[in-house]
Amino acid sequence: MELSLTVILILILSGVIVAVINTFAGGGSVISITLFMMLGMSPLQANVINRVPVFFQTIASSYLFWRKGLLDVSRGLTMGIPMIMGTLVGANILVVVNEQAFDIFLGLILLVILFFIFYKPEAWLKGNEKLQQKKMDWKSFAVFFIIGIYGGFLHVGIGYFLIVALVLLMGYDLLKGNAQKNFLVLLYSPFAIGFFIFSGDLTFRMASYGLIHAIGNVIGASLITHFGIKWGNNFIRWLIFVVVLLTALKLFGVIGFPEFG
């Protein structure tokens, strides 16, 4: 499909929605990938193009989190090492997966995450100072390496897995955990993009769709970062709950998915 004014507006407006969901929750990439497919891209192409707006979205959100003093850059860089390594592995994986089985599996994982969000709410709202001061051990390294593999392969839903790891394993509350999550995605995204450019799977024409979508992503990330910080941890917890539940219901085929255009 050509880049008409209508398509450009759809890309920008949907980018705002996606960024609002992704910055403080996750799963917004489901919308991006679906939209790219509706514009004529294959699932693989849509998955690749999606990395472009995500990169710019996390630049904006990470900068704003840093300005607010919520981003632990040095520790983020440490956690980013295994994530980047995993990303390069995931980007190289060429496996034929049964799409329906994968959707069901991801839906089940999301329901498990819902349980953890409300099982120990104090952990999500207050954080754990002792865990935050603890150095990275081999278990933490392995967890972020595995998450990196997933991010390099698909990316959709990675925010959920990062939030669980950052809160329950690394001791952040939801607000600081979201800051670290955005920073980690920012760190590994260029490596995924670089790999796909080198492999020939990301062309300039494909990237142009992602860049236009990124305009909305930056706007949405800037807005939700400001208001999310004002509204606090409890707002973020309920936002994650709603988004995770809707995403899981979509994966199970209980509800449909919104169409653009």
Side-chain angles (χ1 to χ4, degrees):
M1 184 178 291
E2 296 299 322
L3 278 172
S4 64
L5 179 60
T6 301
V7 171
I8 290 173
L9 290 175
I10 290 173
L11 285 168
I12 293 175
L13 291 175
S14 61
V16 174
I17 297 171
V18 169
V20 167
I21 295 173
N22 273 342
T23 302
F24 274 117
S29 290
V30 175
I31 296 176
S32 297
I33 289 177
T34 302
L35 175 61
F36 290 136
M37 290 173 62
M38 291 170 61
L39 293 175
M41 309 296 175
S42 70
L44 175 61
Q45 290 174 325
N47 180 33
V48 171
I49 297 170
N50 182 52
R51 313 309 176 101
V52 177
V54 165
F55 173 61
F56 286 97
Q57 170 197 308
T58 52
I59 288 177
S61 57
S62 295
Y63 172 72
L64 292 170
F65 278 125
W66 175 75
R67 284 281 304 271
K68 297 290 184 179
L70 296 169
L71 183 60
D72 187 346
V73 175
S74 60
R75 201 169 189 222
L77 291 171
T78 302
M79 291 183 288
I81 293 173
M83 280 215 59
I84 291 170
M85 293 171 61
T87 296
L88 295 175
V89 173
N92 277 283
I93 294 176
L94 298 176
V95 181
V96 178
V97 180
N98 183 294
E99 188 174 337
Q100 185 177 7
F102 178 79
D103 285 354
I104 293 174
F105 171 76
L106 180 57
L108 291 173
I109 292 295
L110 296 180
L111 292 179
V112 171
I113 292 174
L114 283 182
F115 169 77
F116 278 112
I117 289 174
F118 287 91
Y119 173 61
K120 288 186 176 181
E122 67 278 1
W124 297 86
L125 299 177
K126 297 180 180 178
N128 188 319
E129 290 291 338
K130 290 183 179 179
L131 286 178
Q132 290 181 44
Q133 296 171 3
K134 185 179 178 181
K135 292 184 178 181
M136 286 273 291
D137 55 18
W138 70 269
K139 293 180 181 178
S140 301
F141 191 97
V143 167
F144 285 103
F145 177 73
I146 293 170
I147 295 175
I149 293 176
Y150 178 82
F153 178 67
L154 184 60
H155 180 80
V156 176
I158 193 172
Y160 302 135
F161 303 118
L162 280 174
I163 282 295
V164 170
L166 289 165
V167 171
L168 300 184
L169 186 63
M170 306 305 291
Y172 292 102
D173 62 29
L174 272 181
L175 196 54
K176 291 182 178 178
N178 267 288
Q180 294 301 125
K181 177 200 76 176
N182 281 272
F183 185 56
L184 288 173
V185 175
L186 170 61
L187 290 178
Y188 86 73
S189 291
F191 290 88
I193 292 172
F195 174 86
F196 291 124
I197 291 175
F198 182 77
S199 66
D201 291 308
L202 181 60
T203 64
F204 177 78
R205 181 178 179 277
M206 292 165 59
S208 64
Y209 285 83
L211 289 170
I212 295 171
H213 195 51
I215 296 172
N217 281 70
V218 171
I219 295 171
S222 301
L223 290 173
I224 196 60
T225 300
H226 173 72
F227 288 108
I229 291 171
K230 286 184 64 176
W231 295 334
N233 283 314
N234 205 42
F235 159 75
I236 300 168
R237 184 163 64 115
W238 280 103
L239 175 63
I240 293 175
F241 170 80
V242 172
V243 174
V244 171
L245 180 61
L246 291 176
T247 304
L249 291 175
K250 188 268 175 188
L251 290 168
F252 289 132
V254 177
I255 61 175
F257 200 79
E259 296 187 359
F260 299 90

